[in-house]
Amino acid sequence: MLSAEFLEVKKIRSCGNLGAAVALLQTAEITSDDDAFESAICLFIAGDHAGALKSIGQRRWNSGWGIKASAALDGMILGKDPREALSLARLAISETGAGYDCIAIHLILLRMTGLIHEAAVYVRANMQPPPTGEILLLTAIGEIAIATQDWPCAYSAAAAIFASDPNNFRALVFSSIANYESGNVHESLGNAIRANRTGQKLPVITLQLMRCQNQLGDHYAAVAAFSEMGKDAPVGAEIYEQLGIAHSGLGSQQQAVDAYRRALGQGRALIVAIRNLLEIHISLGAAAEVEELVRQYGTEIHQDVDCVTLLGLDRLNQRDRGASFDLFRESLHLTMEQEIPLHSLGWPVPEPRLRHDCEQLELLEQRNKLPTGAKPALAVLKHYLQLSAGASGNVPAPGRDAEALAHALGDFHYCPDLPFSGAALGENDFRTIEEAYFANSPSLVVIDNFLSGPALSNLRQFCEEATVWKAHYKNGYAGAFLSGGFGPRVLLAIADELRQAMPKVVGENVLTQAWAFKYDQRLQGINLHADFARVNVNFWITPDEACLDKSTGGMVIYDVPAPKHWTFENYNANSSKIEAFIKTQGAKSHRVPYRENRCVLFDSTLFHTTDELHFKPGYSKRRVNITFLYGKARNFN
């Protein structure tokens, strides 16, 4: 047990006042192994390794834990084989009287020897909840949580440290990382700024500042953070990667390319740098550079869903539909192999997602297209749908069926390759439509009879049958994307023909993304937002007879665009802010009622939303819209 004087030493150093703690222990009398170990730990944390070694060496240790823990600390400070020190620490924590600082040394040595999983298991088994006021132990727990990507654990460890020491540098660092990875970017930036103000200009802080500032769209601040690094400071690959993101966000493509090349030049195949470099080369039409990048990093590119999707879009924009289709199929297979929908599923699952998937498999069963292997999935979905509490509820927490339910929702049970040939677009005077688009204010045209009859039928069948609807949203609608199987041949034909039919509006703006959404009749659609593209092509394929109110069911478009300085999060997901903006701007709305095979083509930076929905019940009567985004008018970060 610590004496009163050393209890005060520990209290003071736990508050971050190491100078005062060290000064106090110089006059304090050591009366036990606990006091001696506190003295060594305090000096060790203060960076006085010589003093810590002296404190260890001068003590005649009496307890079993003290002998072993002090030897473990001694070996760690002297840089001896950490495995030997770890063996001593293991023995120490099993002895009677071993305290929390002894456990902290054990966890630190587990990290040093690469035994992160064992450290995490120990923390979960023995340190939940973690003790308050034990700063060294909490720091070890937080850094283990970061290494194992346990963001909530890292956040709670940091919060416990801040209760005693609000400016603890290491806690600020791992709290910043945990907040960033959890989506709390503003809090993460605040942590990084506070850590930076401590005067420790370390690369890890520069990296966190740049990551946050890029995510928030403050690219100049990210460049400034890089510039503030000393000339002799080590610049890691991740920092150059963030510099590339910043320059790309500012439209400085060549500087972005240079930064990404510096990142990759350090011998690490960072996938974000590869992906962004690939996107830049494709956007600039630099075919030779694309080919060289694929030659250098082919393995990494063909193991990354987003990279393969980019290559598929590039081939489509080059009018090679066959190669494009093959690449989108490759991205689907990667998505399946990597079980991406399973990993992103998350619990609880909303009832509308469960209902959609259940109804879709029932339709396949009725059409004799449900694979034998998918029949157990349908049974699981039916069971949980009966237990669910309606449109506003969630799937009840699964018990022993948890894995079966996850696979029922996450697996791709049926993904047909529907052949398609012939004209995809309907017979329209697209030249006149283009003229109307440029003449109208805002830039908006409505195109009826958008698709040919065979294309409409083919696309509707794919949307009804293909189990590619793996994204779900709070308003109950399901989403399907190019990278995850929504790339049928008919869709590629539509996108290709549209660029040829409307060369002035669409032509030079390459296709950057395509998706489909399918809606629950009991709920509403997409909230008010804008997109990053120049041109939005939004068309509807559900039969007219499904829509109960022919004056609604389509979309509402406002005559004001998103401000150029707004980030993607602001103009795409912050509905309250958008509503306040359009109100103060006195924006006028343009309502386009629902019609089967109707397309709304408009400036994608205009704020828009799904109109109120009144559709008949039944799976095949769900409203389905498909969206193409052409070109880029806003930053996507």
Side-chain angles (χ1 to χ4, degrees), residues 393-421:
N394 294 317
V395 177
R400 286 178 292 180
D401 292 334
E403 185 175 354
L405 179 57
H407 279 280
L409 293 163
D411 287 353
F412 292 83
H413 305 289
Y414 183 69
C415 300
D417 175 8
L418 301 181
F420 179 79
S421 59

Side-chain angles (χ1 to χ4, degrees), residues 499-540:
R499 285 190 71 200
Q500 312 313 310
M502 303 187 72
K504 294 180 181 178
V505 174
V506 179
E508 293 184 0
N509 295 302
V510 297
L511 184 68
T512 57
Q513 186 55 274
W515 62 68
F517 289 134
K518 194 185 297 183
Y519 301 80
D520 189 303
Q521 293 95 328
R522 301 165 298 170
L523 300 167
Q524 291 303 306
I526 302 173
N527 292 331
L528 195 58
H529 70 287
D531 293 299
F532 63 87
R534 291 190 180 279
V535 180
N536 188 311
V537 179
N538 197 303
F539 56 100
W540 310 316

Side-chain angles (χ1 to χ4, degrees), residues 144-223:
I144 288 164
I146 291 295
T148 56
Q149 300 185 0
D150 186 348
W151 314 127
C153 179
Y155 183 86
S156 63
I161 292 172
F162 293 149
S164 299
D165 182 6
N167 295 308
N168 185 288
F169 178 80
R170 291 171 69 180
L172 286 168
V173 171
F174 68 71
S175 179
S176 178
I177 295 170
N179 275 304
Y180 182 88
E181 298 295 345
S182 302
N184 302 323
V185 183
H186 288 91
E187 189 171 352
S188 175
L189 179 59
N191 294 148
I193 290 172
R194 284 171 59 198
N196 195 48
R197 286 175 179 167
T198 66
Q200 300 189 51
K201 303 289 185 180
L202 297 182
V204 65
I205 293 302
T206 299
L207 177 60
Q208 280 305 110
L209 289 169
M210 295 180 73
R211 292 174 82 200
C212 294
Q213 288 155 343
N214 278 328
Q215 187 67 27
L216 294 171
D218 194 353
H219 302 301
Y220 282 115
V223 174

Side-chain angles (χ1 to χ4, degrees), residues 11 43 140-141 172 175 187 193 252 280 295 339 410 436 525 545 582 591 606 611 618:
K11 178 181 177 181
L43 291 166
I141 290 171
L172 286 168
S175 179
E187 189 171 352
I193 290 172
S252 306
I280 291 173
R295 186 192 67 77
E339 296 186 327
E545 60 95 11
I582 63 173
R591 170 177 272 178
L606 297 173
D611 199 358

Side-chain angles (χ1 to χ4, degrees), residues 64-368:
W65 73 264
I67 294 170
K68 298 175 182 68
S70 61
L73 180 58
D74 182 275
M76 189 167 71
I77 293 172
L78 291 173
K80 295 178 181 179
D81 187 344
R83 292 172 296 182
E84 294 180 12
L86 175 59
S87 296
L88 291 164
R90 285 188 203 277
L91 293 171
I93 64 171
S94 67
E95 297 273 359
T96 301
Y100 287 125
D101 287 327
C102 186
I103 294 172
I105 295 301
H106 171 238
L107 293 176
I108 292 169
L109 284 164
L110 284 172
R111 281 195 66 211
M112 290 176 64
T113 51
L115 300 175
I116 298 296
H117 177 70
E118 182 182 337
V121 169
Y122 183 91
V123 169
R124 285 195 296 270
N126 301 284
M127 297 288 114
Q128 298 299 327
T132 58
E134 296 292 337
I135 304 304
L136 183 61
L137 177 59
L138 288 165
T139 302
I141 290 171
E143 291 177 346
I144 288 164
I146 291 295
T148 56
Q149 300 185 0
D150 186 348
W151 314 127
C153 179
Y155 183 86
S156 63
I161 292 172
F162 293 149
S164 299
D165 182 6
N167 295 308
N168 185 288
F169 178 80
R170 291 171 69 180
L172 286 168
V173 171
F174 68 71
S175 179
S176 178
I177 295 170
N179 275 304
Y180 182 88
E181 298 295 345
S182 302
N184 302 323
V185 183
H186 288 91
E187 189 171 352
S188 175
L189 179 59
N191 294 148
I193 290 172
R194 284 171 59 198
N196 195 48
R197 286 175 179 167
T198 66
Q200 300 189 51
K201 303 289 185 180
L202 297 182
V204 65
I205 293 302
T206 299
L207 177 60
Q208 280 305 110
L209 289 169
M210 295 180 73
R211 292 174 82 200
C212 294
Q213 288 155 343
N214 278 328
Q215 187 67 27
L216 294 171
D218 194 353
H219 302 301
Y220 282 115
V223 174
F226 176 83
S227 300
E228 288 172 2
M229 296 183 72
K231 291 183 178 180
D232 298 327
V235 181
E238 290 90 349
I239 291 178
Y240 278 125
E241 185 177 68
Q242 290 299 319
L243 183 63
I245 292 171
H247 283 307
S248 182
L250 294 171
S252 306
Q253 300 290 57
Q254 188 54 56
Q255 288 175 287
V257 168
D258 292 343
Y260 289 134
R261 284 177 176 165
R262 286 192 176 191
L264 297 173
Q266 296 195 15
R268 297 180 56 195
L270 298 176
I271 193 60
V272 173
I274 294 169
R275 186 188 303 141
N276 291 356
L277 200 53
L278 182 65
E279 184 175 14
I280 291 173
H281 290 326
I282 288 174
S283 69
L284 296 175
E289 284 80 357
V290 170
E291 184 178 343
E292 176 60 20
L293 196 65
V294 174
R295 186 192 67 77
Q296 282 185 285
Y297 300 102
T299 300
E300 291 79 10
I301 286 172
H302 284 282
Q303 284 297 312
D304 182 73
V305 170
D306 292 332
C307 283
V308 175
T309 302
L310 282 170
L311 292 175
L313 284 166
D314 183 44
R315 296 321 306 160
L316 179 59
N317 290 322
Q318 299 300 322
R319 306 207 64 197
D320 188 346
R321 295 185 199 171
S324 176
F325 177 80
D326 291 341
L327 284 160
F328 290 132
R329 275 282 163 166
E330 182 182 339
S331 71
L332 169 61
H333 292 315
L334 280 176
T335 300
M336 295 166 68
E337 290 170 6
Q338 297 171 10
E339 296 186 327
I340 292 174
L342 278 175
H343 298 317
S344 60
L345 185 60
W347 300 98
V349 176
E351 187 268 0
R353 166 68 192 277
L354 182 75
R355 182 176 296 277
H356 169 271
D357 286 23
C358 186
E359 289 181 353
Q360 185 174 42
L361 294 192
E362 286 178 328
L363 178 80
L364 290 172
E365 186 177 53
Q366 293 165 10
R367 294 180 179 179
N368 295 317

